[in-house]
């Protein structure tokens, strides 16, 4: 009689991707089947400056691609991390997988391999914001899963 051993896994923790540094070592698991493990370093941090207007002078936000935005008394600048560019040369079928820091926490998700051999990673903080927004705005809905079953 064959004995089965049970293996338990701990879920990976989500890092603070704003703390990622240039030159930091990263590990990527391939998306899809997850059959590739690649390493590389952070080669560039693509940031964007957001200008928040004071409620007294206007509403909404203004996005500027320039890193030099004039700051007035009624505005506040905030720099956000848009993408992490790495030296990890992911293959066509490896995008969509998690990217880990050396401490084992997830810093982002691989989304694109550029022609120069580097990859583009969406920071996990951006993904957390999107997921929280979806969860906060979601109402009870029925979702058709495509297999004849509905989820509520």
């Amino acid at each position: 009689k064959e004995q089965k051993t049970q293996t338990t896994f701990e879920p990976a923790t989500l890092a603070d991707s704003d703390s990622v540094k240039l030159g930091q070592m990263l590990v990527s698991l391939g998306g899809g089947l997850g059959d590739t493990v690649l390493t590389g370093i952070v080669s560039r941090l693509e940031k964007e400056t957001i200008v928040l207007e004071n409620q007294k002078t206007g509403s909404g936000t203004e996005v500027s691609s320039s890193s030099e935005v004039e700051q007035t008394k009624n505005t506040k600048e905030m720099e956000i991390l848009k993408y992490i560019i790495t030296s990890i040369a992911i293959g066509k079928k490896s995008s969509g997988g998690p990217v880990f820091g050396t401490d084992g926490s997830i810093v982002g998700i691989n989304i694109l391999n550029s022609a120069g051999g580097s990859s583009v990673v969406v920071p996990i903080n951006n993904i957390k914001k999107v997921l929280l927004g979806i969860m906060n705005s979601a109402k009870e809905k029925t979702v058709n899963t495509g297999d004849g079953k509905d989820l509520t």
Side-chain angles (χ1 to χ4, degrees):
K1 186 176 179 179
E2 185 179 322
Q3 265 191 335
K4 293 184 180 180
T5 59
Q6 186 175 13
T7 305
T8 58
F9 294 97
E10 293 293 321
T13 58
L14 302 180
D16 176 7
S17 54
D18 290 337
S19 65
V20 171
K21 305 285 185 228
L22 284 175
Q24 179 177 335
M25 177 69 78
L26 299 175
V27 176
S28 175
L29 294 183
L33 300 175
D35 56 355
T36 57
V37 178
L38 303 165
T39 61
I41 62 166
V42 175
S43 54
R44 191 171 80 198
L45 298 170
E46 187 72 30
K47 296 184 179 184
E48 182 173 49
T49 301
I50 305 290
V51 178
L52 303 173
E53 294 180 10
N54 188 320
Q55 293 293 335
K56 295 178 185 175
T57 61
S59 62
T61 60
E62 190 178 311
V63 178
S64 170
S65 59
S66 169
S67 60
E68 295 180 16
V69 177
E70 186 177 321
Q71 186 171 358
T72 67
K73 293 180 203 174
N74 298 324
T75 63
K76 179 181 178 184
E77 288 185 9
M78 182 172 72
E79 193 171 68
I80 61 168
L81 181 59
K82 194 172 173 184
Y83 297 110
I84 301 168
I85 311 299
T86 74
S87 66
I88 301 170
I90 60 170
K92 290 181 181 179
K93 296 181 181 181
S94 295
S95 64
V99 178
F100 297 89
T102 54
D103 65 352
S105 62
I106 299 173
V107 298
I109 303 293
N110 260 327
I111 60 165
L112 182 66
N113 189 31
S114 73
S118 59
S119 64
V120 178
V121 175
V122 175
I124 201 67
N125 287 3
N126 297 4
I127 295 168
K128 287 190 272 188
K129 288 175 192 171
V130 169
L131 291 176
L132 285 173
I134 291 169
M135 291 185 326
N136 289 336
S137 67
K139 297 180 181 166
E140 188 173 315
K141 296 179 182 179
T142 302
V143 177
N144 184 327
T145 60
D147 61 358
K149 299 177 184 174
D150 291 335
L151 300 176
T152 301

